[in-house]
Amino acid sequence: MSPNLRIAFRFLTAKKRAMFMSLSCTVLGVGLFIVTQATTSGFERFFTKTILGINGAVRIEDKIQDTMRSMAAAGASDSYFAQREGVKYIEGVEEALLIAEAVREFANVRGVSAVVRGNVQITSALKTEDAQIFGIKIEDHVRVSDLAEQITRGKLDDFRDSPSGALLGRVLADRLQLVVGDSFVLTSRGQSRRVHVAAIYETGYREVDKSNIYLQIGEARSLLRRPAGATFLQVSLFDPSRAPQDAAKMEQVLGHGAKPWQEREKTWLAVFRALRVSTMITVSVFTLIASLAMFNTLAMIVLEKTKDIAILRSMGYERRDITQIFLWQAGIVLAIGAMAGALLGAGVTWLVGQVPLPINGIFKTDRFIVTWDPNHYLAAIATAVVMVMVASLIPARRAARLEPGDIVRGTAQ
Amino acid sequence: MSLAPSSIAGELALRCTGLHRHLGQGEGRVHVLKGVSFEARRGQVYAIVGPSGCGKSTLLYLLGLLDQPDQGQIEINGKLMSNHDDVARTAARGEHIGFVFQFHFLMLEFTALENVMMPMRKLGRLPQAAMTARAHDLLEAVGLGTKTHRLGTQLSGGEQQRVAVARALANQPAILLADEPTGNLDAKNSGVVFDLLTRLAKEQGQAIVLVTHNAEIAQRCDFTRPMRDGLFI
Ligand SMILES: Nc1ncnc2c1ncn2[C@@H]1O[C@H](COP(=O)(O)OP(=O)(O)OP(=O)(O)O)[C@@H](O)[C@H]1O
Ligand SMILES: [Mg+2]
């Protein structure tokens, strides 16, 4: 053990209670930081998984008008095209098959599914509700969603095998009091069709579960009178975090609007981020207190040990050694605090993960969701180290600046 | 303890010329040292005597490089130290100078043994076992062989003072500066400490400078330097 570390250990015990205060706050700061990060990012990741499982990573939608050329042709501004954010669009994906082929060429793409969407009214024996139908090819769609895992009643095979089968969201089915096998009527622009419940799914995202009805794409086409093309293509990616880059490239190459999930869900993602940052700030208060306590304790120890500092300096200990002795004290408390805090964090994270907490709304869970991410531990410890060390630097440097001559004469300040 | 070659005895270990030191600020500023010159040779014991407040401690701090003169020069082992930077002066303190303070002798949270080992640890010239053995020997020499593991708080004032003497000798400094090293001691222990210091001066060729109020001790030194009002007389 270096002489300075040895001295630091002994000085620490001079102010046990004050040091314990700083230590406890470090433990709490590190521990709670970890817990809050584990839970907030737990929910965020679960939400992400849910919405990726419903809507995929990228949605390719309306065709982009070649603005420059059409403007040049028209010779003036034209207001015939739908205009969003300065770009003009033509609704839908006419060349769905071709575009899907092109999308599959992207290295990161896992699956593509063409979807025909339309508004309908759904009528059961009990009542009528507004809903949306999604015409899909089930083989394609299970590759771009978690639909297969979201079936709670009935079988996906029944949907596949029967052209008049429909997949109903759990909330919608409950409202209309429909169970697997029941038949109901879908109406769109005066045209009606009788279909039956092949299976019931539940995503946990209430907006989806109360309105989305899946039909085979052929059925949807004839009900909506749309013989060709698709409303959008749903794309899943191997690495969803790269969706913005992939979407930008797709938009460029395909000439269709492509929206990554990060943009689609930006409201919710912003909510989660705000939650994560605000809990981080709240919890950092503990670390702040830890650093203030450390500042205070070290300042007290410096005052109490000025004579010892003079003795050390007279024996050949340099200013650097004195700084080190005081920084080591902070370092020792930090090391113990970080370890205990990490253990506390892990323990509480585990406990919180056991807490029953039924949530249904933007995702479905019956327990608190936590993530285990070493980065949370690193971030928690790094925050504590930076704050406590910065606070310790001031008394440590003050101690080093003391002149031995002033100390022994009693005129040191 | 190893014997130094006798040839170094008589060599100049310490020299100061024309030292001036003012203390205090503004109205309270006092001219404490008024051009003090002094020499100490290896193998000799010097006593600085004088009335309380004449500037003995102030001079000793300057000689021990713990304080800076306002004017004048200090040479340690032939090297001019008074205009060196803090790092060089600190290194010189650790290597060439042993210092016994007038008050507050020990680091109280450490045992007698640890206190004595403290300067050796910093210098880092001896292996751990040799440091421990040497610290034991030194404590034995000042009559504290049985109290090596007592904490500073568990020793009497006189015992603390003797540990401080042992500690000042730890790195075998060429110069030992002691501010009333026998101030708190009874006649018997004063004798023990003084004998130890004189023996070292003769055996190891150390230059020893004591401040003392004890006339008997002063008389037994090789040289006595009476001081009054910031000057040697
Ligand atoms: N900070 C200060 N400001 C002004 N004067 C001071 C200060 N410190 C010490 N002095 C004065 O300097 C003078 C010398 O003090 P010093 O401690 O060197 O005396 P001393 O000879 O060691 O006395 P003693 O035998 O009592 O230890 C004293 O007159 C003292 O009053
Ligand atoms: Mg004095």
Side-chain angles (χ1 to χ4, degrees):
Chain A
M1 204 191 312
S2 87
N4 295 347
L5 181 54
R6 195 186 291 263
I7 296 166
F9 262 111
R10 210 60 68 87
F11 276 9
L12 259 187
T13 56
K15 285 266 169 283
K16 285 201 202 84
R17 236 178 300 165
M19 276 298 176
F20 187 73
M21 164 84 181
S22 181
L23 176 66
S24 333
C25 287
T26 309
V27 173
L28 279 180
V30 170
L32 293 181
F33 188 106
I34 290 168
V35 174
T36 53
Q37 292 307 293
T39 51
T40 49
S41 74
F43 281 122
E44 182 173 352
R45 277 182 212 187
F46 195 71
F47 170 75
T48 302
K49 184 184 174 310
T50 304
I51 60 105
L52 285 176
I54 299 168
N55 289 324
V58 177
R59 184 178 278 192
I60 295 170
E61 284 173 303
D62 305 343
K63 185 170 184 178
I64 300 169
Q65 258 299 313
D66 196 335
T67 334
M68 296 314 288
R69 215 184 308 152
S70 61
M71 272 169 73
S77 76
D78 49 356
S79 50
Y80 294 107
F81 300 97
Q83 197 166 341
R84 291 196 296 268
E85 290 162 10
V87 184
K88 299 180 180 64
Y89 290 90
I90 298 172
E91 236 176 72
V93 185
E94 272 326 301
E95 308 284 351
L97 284 179
L98 264 167
I99 302 282
E101 274 317 303
V103 170
R104 283 198 182 89
E105 294 299 308
F106 281 82
N108 194 19
V109 168
R110 200 175 57 177
V112 185
S113 170
V115 179
V116 176
R117 182 185 57 197
N119 295 325
V120 295
Q121 287 191 316
I122 172 170
T123 311
S124 72
L126 198 71
K127 57 176 168 180
T128 299
E129 294 265 350
D130 286 329
Q132 279 197 318
I133 56 167
F134 290 75
I136 56 170
K137 209 169 141 196
I138 189 66
E139 295 78 25
D140 288 342
H141 210 72
V142 292
R143 291 187 60 93
V144 299
S145 71
D146 294 335
L147 196 54
E149 291 90 70
Q150 287 158 350
I151 302 295
T152 55
R153 304 253 167 69
K155 287 208 192 80
L156 204 57
D157 288 342
D158 293 343
F159 175 75
R160 184 173 311 153
D161 298 340
S162 128
S164 72
L167 296 177
L168 232 59
R170 205 261 308 155
V171 178
L172 187 60
D174 284 354
R175 280 194 185 171
L176 297 170
Q177 297 199 348
L178 290 170
V179 296
V180 174
D182 286 355
S183 71
F184 56 93
V185 175
L186 293 174
T187 312
S188 168
R189 283 181 265 169
Q191 176 144 291
S192 291
R193 230 172 172 70
R194 178 164 287 277
V195 292
H196 73 273
V197 182
I200 290 171
Y201 70 86
E202 179 164 25
T203 64
Y205 201 132
R206 201 176 169 80
E207 288 302 310
V208 171
D209 293 344
K210 76 170 198 208
S211 86
N212 290 14
I213 303 167
Y214 292 97
L215 288 183
Q216 288 201 7
I217 194 161
E219 286 293 300
R221 281 190 195 293
S222 58
L223 177 61
L224 300 171
R225 292 194 210 145
R226 178 163 187 165
T231 317
F232 62 85
L233 299 183
Q234 183 162 325
V235 181
S236 64
L237 300 178
F238 290 108
D239 175 8
S241 70
R242 287 183 31 82
Q245 294 92 309
D246 283 329
K249 202 122 157 262
M250 286 173 191
E251 203 164 280
Q252 211 176 32
V253 173
L254 308 172
H256 277 261
K259 234 182 184 184
W261 61 275
Q262 289 95 332
E263 199 186 320
R264 216 169 53 213
E265 305 293 344
K266 73 175 167 231
T267 319
W268 277 112
L269 291 177
V271 169
F272 281 113
R273 196 169 311 125
L275 195 66
R276 190 146 45 92
V277 171
S278 71
T279 53
M280 203 188 287
I281 291 170
T282 313
V283 161
S284 294
V285 168
F286 283 100
T287 316
L288 184 70
I289 295 174
S291 66
L292 292 179
M294 179 61 77
F295 173 87
N296 194 38
T297 312
L298 286 184
M300 282 195 299
I301 295 180
V302 170
L303 274 187
E304 197 178 294
K305 297 292 174 204
T306 46
K307 297 270 173 52
D308 291 34
I309 294 169
I311 294 175
L312 285 168
R313 299 277 283 128
S314 80
M315 296 187 304
Y317 284 75
E318 296 163 41
R319 290 190 198 281
R320 237 191 3 205
D321 294 314
I322 306 298
T323 308
Q324 264 181 27
I325 286 169
F326 284 91
L327 289 185
W328 265 128
Q329 296 178 55
I332 293 163
V333 171
L334 267 175
I336 300 171
M339 249 187 316
L343 286 178
L344 176 78
V348 175
T349 301
W350 183 83
L351 278 177
V352 166
Q354 310 302 307
V355 173
L357 178 84
I359 294 183
N360 204 337
I362 53 171
F363 45 68
K364 182 181 167 62
T365 174
D366 47 15
R367 276 188 305 128
F368 234 92
I369 300 161
V370 295
T371 46
W372 296 92
D373 186 343
N375 287 327
H376 297 159
Y377 292 72
L378 289 181
I381 291 172
T383 312
V385 166
V386 169
M387 286 173 77
V388 172
M389 276 312 191
V390 166
S392 310
L393 217 53
I394 301 160
R397 299 193 64 125
R398 212 184 80 90
R401 270 203 311 272
L402 289 172
E403 291 290 346
D406 292 337
I407 297 173
V408 289
R409 268 196 306 274
T411 51
Q413 49 248 318
Chain B
M1 282 173 233
S2 63
L3 288 180
S6 56
S7 62
I8 63 170
E11 264 179 36
L12 199 60
L14 172 74
R15 172 162 54 195
C16 70
T17 42
L19 289 186
H20 284 265
R21 184 70 172 114
H22 296 79
L23 290 176
Q25 263 144 20
E27 296 273 296
R29 195 167 157 88
V30 184
H31 197 172
V32 179
L33 295 183
K34 302 167 178 170
V36 177
S37 299
F38 176 72
E39 276 182 10
R41 294 183 180 273
R42 306 195 92 175
Q44 311 285 7
V45 183
Y46 301 79
I48 296 176
V49 297
S52 180
C54 71
K56 305 183 294 295
S57 296
T58 307
L59 174 62
L60 222 56
Y61 298 147
L62 291 180
L63 299 181
L65 307 180
L66 292 167
D67 193 17
Q68 287 277 72
D70 296 323
Q71 206 184 310
Q73 297 184 329
I74 299 164
E75 284 171 41
I76 303 288
N77 286 344
K79 258 207 220 145
L80 185 64
M81 294 308 303
S82 45
N83 57 357
H84 268 58
D85 63 4
D86 186 74
V87 176
R89 285 187 290 125
T90 305
R93 283 200 295 268
E95 207 174 336
H96 305 303
I97 302 172
F99 204 98
V100 182
F101 289 101
Q102 188 174 3
F103 311 105
H104 195 88
F105 314 103
L106 300 187
M107 295 176 66
L108 297 175
E109 271 106 15
F110 294 80
T111 64
L113 195 72
E114 288 170 324
N115 265 283
V116 177
M117 288 172 75
M118 204 76 80
M120 296 192 257
R121 286 218 170 95
K122 174 59 194 168
L123 199 60
R125 286 206 181 137
L126 297 177
Q128 176 76 24
M131 283 197 274
T132 315
R134 180 168 168 73
H136 266 288
D137 289 348
L138 284 165
L139 285 169
E140 192 82 52
V142 295
L144 290 171
T146 56
K147 297 184 175 172
T148 54
H149 290 285
R150 294 267 188 100
L151 285 179
T153 45
Q154 299 163 338
L155 294 168
S156 76
E159 286 170 339
Q160 290 184 24
Q161 203 167 16
R162 280 184 279 157
V163 178
V165 171
R167 184 182 60 198
L169 296 168
N171 284 341
Q172 280 184 279
I175 303 155
L176 184 104
L177 305 170
D179 203 343
E180 302 210 37
T182 59
N184 289 323
L185 303 183
D186 56 30
K188 178 173 160 267
N189 277 311
S190 295
V192 168
V193 168
F194 185 77
D195 290 344
L196 171 72
L197 294 178
T198 37
R199 199 179 77 227
L200 288 174
K202 304 306 166 197
E203 286 177 358
Q204 299 186 15
Q206 285 177 316
I208 294 177
V209 182
L210 312 175
V211 168
T212 183
H213 283 296
N214 185 326
E216 195 188 329
I217 295 273
Q219 222 163 30
R220 289 174 59 197
C221 292
D222 299 315
F223 303 93
T224 306
R225 292 283 141 86
M227 203 175 164
R228 184 168 308 150
D229 207 12
L231 280 171
F232 284 124
I233 34 180

